[in-house]
Amino acid sequence: MLAEALALSAALFTIGVIGVLIRRNAIIIFMCVELMLNAVNLSFVALSRYYGADGQVFVFFVMTVAAAEAAVGLAIIISIFRHRQTVNLQNINIMRG
């Protein structure tokens, strides 16, 4: 049971990393980051079930960070879309003067 959960977690994390590296749409990259966070949550739950109950506490911390990251990230993406009319990261050069 532990090996299958960790394998699924690794697969989900890998899909998230590939999505972040390949895609240029900010919303899809954002969703891939959330997928990676959920993969970590799955591994924490699997390990806590196997070794003890401490891993479930980390899941609540990760969920809190993910919720805050989602709120701030979506606000930034909406602000960028209002000014640039796109969420394609190749067309966005905010840091240039």
Side-chain angles (χ1 to χ4, degrees), residues 31-48:
M31 290 172 50
C32 290
V33 170
E34 294 291 327
L35 184 63
M36 289 189 291
L37 288 173
N38 285 326
V40 171
N41 281 342
L42 178 62
S43 64
F44 277 142
V45 169
L47 290 172
S48 71

Side-chain angles (χ1 to χ4, degrees), residues 10 27 50 74 82-83 91:
I27 294 175
Y50 190 73
L74 286 176
R82 285 184 180 168
H83 291 285
N91 299 333

Side-chain angles (χ1 to χ4, degrees), residues 8-78:
L8 178 63
S9 175
L12 290 175
F13 193 85
T14 303
I15 291 170
V17 168
I18 291 171
V20 167
L21 294 177
I22 291 176
R23 302 302 298 251
R24 295 292 171 239
N25 189 327
I27 294 175
I28 293 176
I29 290 173
F30 201 65
M31 290 172 50
C32 290
V33 170
E34 294 291 327
L35 184 63
M36 289 189 291
L37 288 173
N38 285 326
V40 171
N41 281 342
L42 178 62
S43 64
F44 277 142
V45 169
L47 290 172
S48 71
R49 183 159 172 90
Y50 190 73
Y51 290 112
D54 291 339
Q56 295 173 355
V57 175
F58 288 114
V59 171
F60 286 118
F61 289 128
V62 172
M63 288 173 63
T64 304
V65 170
E69 179 245 346
V72 172
L74 286 176
I76 291 171
I77 290 172
I78 289 172

